[in-house]
Amino acid sequence: MQDWAEVAIRTLMAVAILFLITKILGKRQVSQLSLFEYITGITIGNLAATIPMERESTWYLGLIALSVWVLTTLSIEYLQIKSKKVRDLSDGKTTILIKDGKILEDNLKKERLTLDELMEQLRSKNAFKVADVEFAIMETSGEINVLLTKDKQPVTLKDLNIQQLPEKEPTAVIMDGQLMEQQMAYMGITQQWLDAKLKEKSLTVKDVFFAQVDPQGELYIDQYSDNVQLSKVQDSNQAVLTLLEQCTTELQKLASGSSEQQRKQLYEQCSQSLKEAIQEMQPVNTSKP
């Protein structure tokens, strides 16, 4: 086998192995990473990258190294689930940075965090004044979460003694011009109801790029862009026709009410010209794509 073909096959194999490893390790590997997960991701990526380019006959040893890393990672994650001490050892502990509105300087130094970096993190949480912060903590992922003082927290329905019923998430019922039958059944929506709603807007399912129904039964519709442009053109034509028809009516009234023969003829000629213009525009308005 030629070298380029062997490298191509090994690369495809490495991609497949990395995808399989990511599925095995779970979603945590693609979300906020802990220190150990960060190291694991870098190491596995480096090991997988060396496999396609290894020219020696022992390239398969890279697969063994990958397997050891994956098994080790799975073992540690299992122990993390079972033991708080293992979690603290591998991921570290959270660090309190602000308590009762007071910045804890020793903890800032411990995390090697400057005041500028702390303020940047606070601003990202919409806390622009340290005085507004009751409590701030650095998570094991490095993210800083903030609890505002009571008077700076937004008012909730519970504060106003208003009971709020549980609410379902909005559901897509049309995507790419296709009905989402499972979602419709989940929301208790029939195709007859949906067709009636679309008919009110002179639309069919094929005209809709995306449609979504909220728990209150409100239907949001996003048409294909070309249909939207066509609709705008049709609305514009209809507006012009309506205006011309009004002008024609007014000219006819002026002609019938005029006592001067010359002025009356002028009004009638203008009215006739507008009627001809309306007739010429009519096919454009009623034509279909």
Side-chain angles (χ1 to χ4, degrees), residues 230 233-235 237-238 241 245 278-289:
L230 179 61
V233 171
Q234 290 176 343
D235 292 343
N237 287 341
Q238 185 60 45
L241 285 173
E245 289 172 354
I278 292 173
Q279 289 297 324
E280 292 178 359
M281 292 183 63
Q282 198 68 32
V284 177
N285 184 56
T286 58
S287 62
K288 296 182 180 179

Side-chain angles (χ1 to χ4, degrees), residues 189-204 208 213 216-221:
I189 295 173
T190 63
Q191 186 172 349
Q192 291 76 10
W193 178 87
L194 183 59
D195 289 339
K197 287 289 187 179
L198 295 177
K199 189 175 181 181
E200 293 177 1
K201 300 182 180 295
S202 301
L203 297 173
T204 64
V208 179
V213 178
Q216 288 73 38
E218 294 293 330
L219 178 64
Y220 166 81
I221 297 175

